[in-house]
Amino acid sequence: MEATATTHSTEAHTGAPRILDREPLVLNNRSYSWITNRICGIVENKQPLLWWVLFVPSVLLTLLTVFCFTYLISTGVGVWGQKQPVAWAWDITNFVFWIGIGHAGTLISAILFLTRQKWRTSVNRAAEAMTIFAVMCAGLFPAFHVGRVWMVWFLAPIPNANAVWQNFKSPLLWDVFAVSTYFTVSAVFWFLGLVPDLATLRDRCKPGLRKTLYGIFSLGWRGANRHWSHYETAYMLLAALSTPLVLSVHSVVSFDFATSIVPGWHTTIFPPYFVAGAIFGGFAMVLTLMIPVSKIYGLGDLITPKHIDNMAKIILLTGTIVGYAYCMEFFIAYYGANKYELQTFQLRGLYGPSTWAYYFMFGFNVFAPQLFWYRPFRHNLWVVMFVCMCVNAGMWFERYVIIATTLERHLTPGSWRVYEATWVDKYTFLGTFGLFMMLFLLFLRFLPVIAIGEVKGVLPQSNAHASDHDEKGIQEEDLMNYPDRHVAKTVA
Amino acid sequence: MSTTLKRVHGFLAEFDNVQDLYHAAEHVRDAGYQRWDVHTPFPIHGMDDAMGVKRSKLPYFVFFGGLTGTCVAFTLQTLTQTTFWADIGLGFLQKLAETYPTVVQAKPTHIWTLPAFFPVMFELTILFSAFTVLFGLLSMIGLPRLNHPLFVSKRFAKFSDDGFFVCIEARDPKFSQEGTKTLLEKLGGKNIELIEDDI
């Protein structure tokens, strides 16, 4: 058995299956208490200067959004640039953009959980937080788009005057249900994941207001295995519920367009194309946030090059799917022989008034991620950040192209008009970035940015059978899920 | 002079690592204890078997929670948008809800407009399931609670950092002050504490 143990070390490899040599998920053999101290330290210590440098402008930008919405309410929706025929413009573009950002969070927390991708543990907490904040930003736009925002409760299924109920046959109402369910379930998922880590913070605090608050929100958690047993089942169930949910949300968002008869919107490829795009844009935003967070707070041992590499690969995959969808839209417009649709696509991509937006979209979303085919680029943080910034911008342009430029050239030339955004449009959108950043920075300040309990669970020493085996590679495997893997010891 | 009555909650023993805890749990299980638990900073895979804990019943509750959501969405939509309930002789429900089904987007008011209702039925299924998960979990594990006798122990706070504990409760029929302590010592438990609770 001694001999087989050495065959698995990288120096003395003698043909044993290399699949057991896995990159560690936490570098430098960190201990449990190191992880606790490092992550709780972010909350407990003073924030670095950079936090304040980012926080103050974020608050100011948030106030800008508040001002713009106040101005909008007091003056009227006409302060936005949309008129007939472009009745949906930046507002719905921003809505779809922000909703899409949220999807990566749910993908990491739910789909990667169900597929046992353990590298998710270091990034899922921040990604879920990002989901919730992005959906909050998204919700503002349709709420104000309805015109009389104080009537927005009409969207809720409550019988209002004259027994008029909501039109449940409308994709716009499906959207209300999809987005509000998405927000609620994401929040429940996030909170449930936070409970054990809030208990960690509670146990480290001195008595006082903070301890009381962490105490209340950690619900009296005491890490009992009889609790963990139910808890893990609950977590798994929420992941299983969130997976179809996240796919449905952006599909429903795409129904807003796809169920219409407007050329350029009436497309069956929209649901999968929107979902892929959302995951694509969301992952770019996760990296945009997590790379600086990792650098500023010294979390390099937990958010390793492997994590960034994996996420870059997902961006490459989804970006390529999105590229396929762009091409397929064109092909179907040609092949479908609907002259209005063909005209729409020709105007979009070839000679229309807003082709510049189409080129931005295509370049940022399809060409930029192709850099990730080359491994050193996936490991160079500057390149990764550059591509992510391209994708963030590109995905906004994608929604703009679909929504606004389609409406600019409608069926009849009589209803043609090029859309121009007003300063209110621009500052409101800019301000939501402030809101998003402000919420994220407050999250960093008060809550554990990495799921402490989950990261500890993927350490090699957390395997109850670690001492039963000589081989390093097997210890990292989750033996309890695969009892027959015990025999792997003798195979080599 | 004040006197406080104390009640013994149980014995708390600390273990060095996951492996020791796992083997200790197997032994406590085999010794026939029922009311005991291990406290760890993260879930340990296989610990349920080592402790003899059965699988959670939560999924069954969630199934019915989800089904409720589907039914609520179906009823809400068909009641307000179709003549379905009147057609099956339950017109009073429609009167009760003061509904007035209208033809919108050329979609008729009979039941065969059902596919237009699927998205909302799906979303409410998920929503109700998720709430059942949350509240089902909390009721099954008896949380939230404001305090617990174990929080009296100074050492116990380590459970959320890197501490691995076994606690055998005094409510267990096999519990005895000497026997249980000896067992925990024999299994390699450290810093064995008798946890007492104020009455």
Side-chain angles (χ1 to χ4, degrees):
Chain A
M1 224 16 73
E2 291 289 328
T4 34
T6 48
T7 54
H8 275 283
S9 66
T10 36
E11 314 80 78
H13 200 273
T14 56
R18 278 203 93 115
I19 194 159
L20 296 175
D21 281 331
R22 290 209 170 167
E23 260 181 81
L25 293 171
V26 175
L27 300 180
N28 298 325
N29 283 326
R30 296 300 186 183
S31 66
Y32 296 126
S33 56
W34 185 89
I35 293 174
T36 318
N37 286 330
R38 180 50 62 98
I39 300 170
C40 293
I42 298 173
V43 175
E44 288 158 356
N45 301 333
K46 276 177 103 173
Q47 292 301 314
L49 183 66
L50 196 59
W51 188 88
W52 287 101
V53 169
L54 291 168
F55 185 68
V56 173
S58 305
V59 175
L60 294 175
L61 281 175
T62 310
L63 292 174
L64 186 66
T65 287
V66 174
F67 167 75
C68 286
F69 279 135
T70 314
Y71 179 67
L72 177 111
I73 295 169
S74 57
T75 316
V77 194
V79 298
W80 277 346
Q82 58 244 56
K83 302 178 186 123
Q84 290 304 329
V86 187
W88 280 6
W90 274 47
D91 50 348
I92 305 299
T93 302
N94 299 342
F95 162 69
V96 183
F97 171 77
W98 277 119
I99 278 282
I101 296 291
H103 281 50
T106 323
L107 184 95
I108 290 174
S109 53
I111 297 180
L112 297 186
F113 178 79
L114 291 181
T115 51
R116 305 287 186 271
Q117 296 298 309
K118 289 183 178 175
W119 60 271
R120 70 182 266 289
T121 50
S122 296
V123 282
N124 72 330
R125 171 69 45 72
E128 286 167 34
M130 186 193 78
T131 297
I132 291 169
F133 305 147
V135 177
M136 285 162 113
C137 292
L140 290 172
F141 290 99
F144 282 89
H145 174 87
V146 300
R148 299 178 193 175
V149 69
W150 54 94
M151 294 294 197
V152 83
W153 61 274
F154 268 40
L155 294 168
I158 307 161
N160 45 50
N162 309 320
V164 177
W165 282 79
Q166 288 68 28
N167 175 14
F168 288 101
K169 297 164 188 167
S170 161
L172 300 182
L173 196 68
W174 302 346
D175 232 7
V176 174
F177 277 84
V179 173
S180 54
T181 300
Y182 184 47
F183 180 75
T184 315
V185 174
S186 300
V188 168
F189 201 17
W190 188 54
F191 172 67
L192 211 59
L194 269 168
V195 167
D197 292 353
L198 289 173
T200 305
L201 283 168
R202 170 199 69 195
D203 292 342
R204 291 165 59 95
C205 275
K206 290 193 183 71
L209 180 66
R210 287 180 74 119
K211 196 180 180 81
T212 312
L213 287 175
Y214 285 129
I216 290 169
F217 287 108
S218 60
L219 311 174
W221 182 260
R222 48 186 190 279
N225 187 59
R226 286 171 208 273
H227 292 183
W228 277 123
S229 179
H230 292 301
Y231 176 90
E232 286 208 288
T233 309
Y235 201 81
M236 190 267 292
L237 283 167
L238 280 178
L241 291 167
S242 303
T243 301
L245 179 66
V246 68
L247 302 181
S248 85
V249 172
H250 230 59
S251 298
V252 169
V253 169
S254 83
F255 291 164
D256 291 349
F257 309 100
T259 58
S260 73
I261 53 160
V262 178
W265 283 3
H266 185 58
T267 315
T268 48
I269 203 175
F270 264 12
Y273 156 32
F274 269 48
V275 171
I279 292 164
F280 177 56
F283 265 91
M285 190 60 97
V286 173
L287 281 171
T288 310
L289 294 174
M290 288 316 280
I291 291 173
V293 166
S294 164
K295 288 286 155 208
I296 294 167
Y297 293 105
L299 298 172
D301 287 344
L302 301 172
I303 301 167
T304 65
K306 179 188 163 79
H307 290 94
I308 293 164
D309 186 74
N310 282 351
M311 287 194 271
K313 283 178 187 165
I314 292 178
I315 289 181
L316 175 60
L317 170 73
T318 47
T320 313
I321 295 175
V322 165
Y324 166 80
Y326 295 162
C327 300
M328 192 45 74
E329 273 189 323
F330 256 98
F331 174 73
I332 294 296
Y334 151 76
Y335 193 65
N338 177 328
K339 60 184 174 186
Y340 295 103
E341 192 174 342
L342 186 62
Q343 170 82 353
T344 302
F345 278 92
Q346 283 169 345
L347 286 163
R348 227 187 235 183
L350 300 176
Y351 48 77
S354 302
T355 43
W356 55 274
Y358 195 87
Y359 298 141
F360 274 130
M361 171 192 98
F362 214 94
F364 287 156
N365 289 347
V366 184
F367 295 129
Q370 303 305 322
L371 289 172
F372 284 154
W373 283 106
Y374 186 50
R375 185 180 152 89
F377 283 154
R378 297 199 300 269
H379 287 256
N380 183 325
L381 296 185
W382 291 106
V383 176
V384 174
M385 281 303 271
F386 169 74
V387 172
C388 290
M389 289 300 177
C390 287
V391 174
N392 286 331
M395 283 311 290
W396 187 86
F397 277 108
E398 180 195 300
R399 278 72 182 245
Y400 179 78
V401 165
I402 292 172
I403 295 165
T405 70
T406 300
L407 295 174
E408 282 176 353
R409 290 288 179 267
H410 231 208
L411 293 158
T412 51
S415 64
W416 286 7
R417 185 176 158 273
V418 176
Y419 167 78
E420 267 175 70
T422 64
W423 63 269
V424 187
D425 280 305
K426 289 169 188 163
Y427 289 144
T428 312
F429 180 51
L430 188 66
T432 52
F433 277 100
L435 176 64
F436 180 73
M437 280 304 291
M438 182 184 80
L439 292 169
F440 194 79
L441 289 163
L442 288 172
F443 158 72
L444 287 177
R445 172 70 188 81
F446 291 108
L447 294 171
V449 66
I450 289 179
I452 308 172
E454 292 193 33
V455 170
K456 285 177 188 167
V458 300
L459 293 175
Q461 63 264 39
S462 303
N463 182 354
H465 295 276
S467 54
D468 300 352
H469 297 276
D470 303 312
E471 289 151 279
K472 189 164 154 273
I474 293 181
Q475 284 170 22
E476 289 163 12
E477 288 285 306
D478 189 3
L479 283 163
M480 285 320 295
N481 285 342
Y482 310 99
D484 35 317
R485 288 282 179 92
H486 288 269
V487 297
K489 193 158 65 167
T490 51
V491 168
Chain B
M1 190 184 116
S2 68
T3 51
T4 47
L5 278 173
K6 299 254 187 191
R7 177 171 56 195
V8 174
H9 174 74
F11 271 115
L12 183 71
E14 196 183 338
F15 289 84
D16 283 338
N17 54 45
V18 177
Q19 295 78 33
D20 289 357
L21 185 78
Y22 184 86
H23 295 306
E26 287 177 321
H27 283 102
V28 177
R29 173 196 67 192
D30 295 341
Y33 283 96
Q34 296 295 322
R35 305 202 76 104
W36 64 288
D37 217 328
V38 302
H39 298 266
T40 53
F42 52 86
I44 294 167
H45 290 280
M47 188 53 90
D48 288 356
D49 291 336
M51 282 181 67
V53 176
K54 289 203 183 72
R55 270 181 74 164
S56 175
K57 294 261 185 298
L58 191 60
Y60 297 100
F61 292 105
V62 174
F63 174 76
F64 288 104
L67 211 57
T68 312
T70 321
C71 295
V72 165
F74 175 81
T75 314
L76 176 72
Q77 296 181 100
T78 50
L79 199 61
T80 58
Q81 313 271 297
T82 69
T83 53
F84 170 69
W85 295 90
D87 294 345
I88 61 167
L90 294 170
F92 72 94
L93 281 175
Q94 235 134 10
K95 284 208 182 66
L96 212 64
E98 285 191 78
T99 57
Y100 184 70
T102 46
V103 176
V104 281
Q105 294 160 359
K107 292 187 185 72
T109 55
H110 58 63
I111 186 66
W112 302 117
T113 185
L114 192 66
F117 301 144
F118 285 170
V120 173
M121 283 163 74
F122 173 79
E123 300 299 340
L124 286 196
T125 307
I126 300 278
L127 185 67
F128 277 56
S129 304
F131 277 125
T132 319
V133 171
L134 178 67
F135 295 113
L137 171 73
L138 292 179
S139 57
M140 285 173 103
I141 65 178
L143 294 182
R145 56 181 289 171
L146 288 172
N147 203 0
H148 190 272
L150 279 174
F151 291 132
V152 174
S153 163
K154 289 265 186 299
R155 295 202 71 83
F156 183 68
K158 258 188 91 181
F159 92 87
S160 61
D161 180 10
D162 59 352
F164 300 93
F165 293 92
V166 168
C167 177
I168 301 180
E169 289 182 27
R171 289 187 293 171
D172 195 293
K174 290 203 67 155
F175 184 87
S176 71
Q177 292 242 7
E178 293 77 38
T180 305
K181 191 174 183 195
T182 318
L183 174 73
L184 288 170
E185 276 167 354
K186 205 176 78 192
L187 295 176
K190 308 219 167 86
N191 307 312
I192 297 174
E193 254 183 281
L194 185 69
I195 305 290
E196 287 176 316
D197 188 17
D198 289 338
I199 296 179

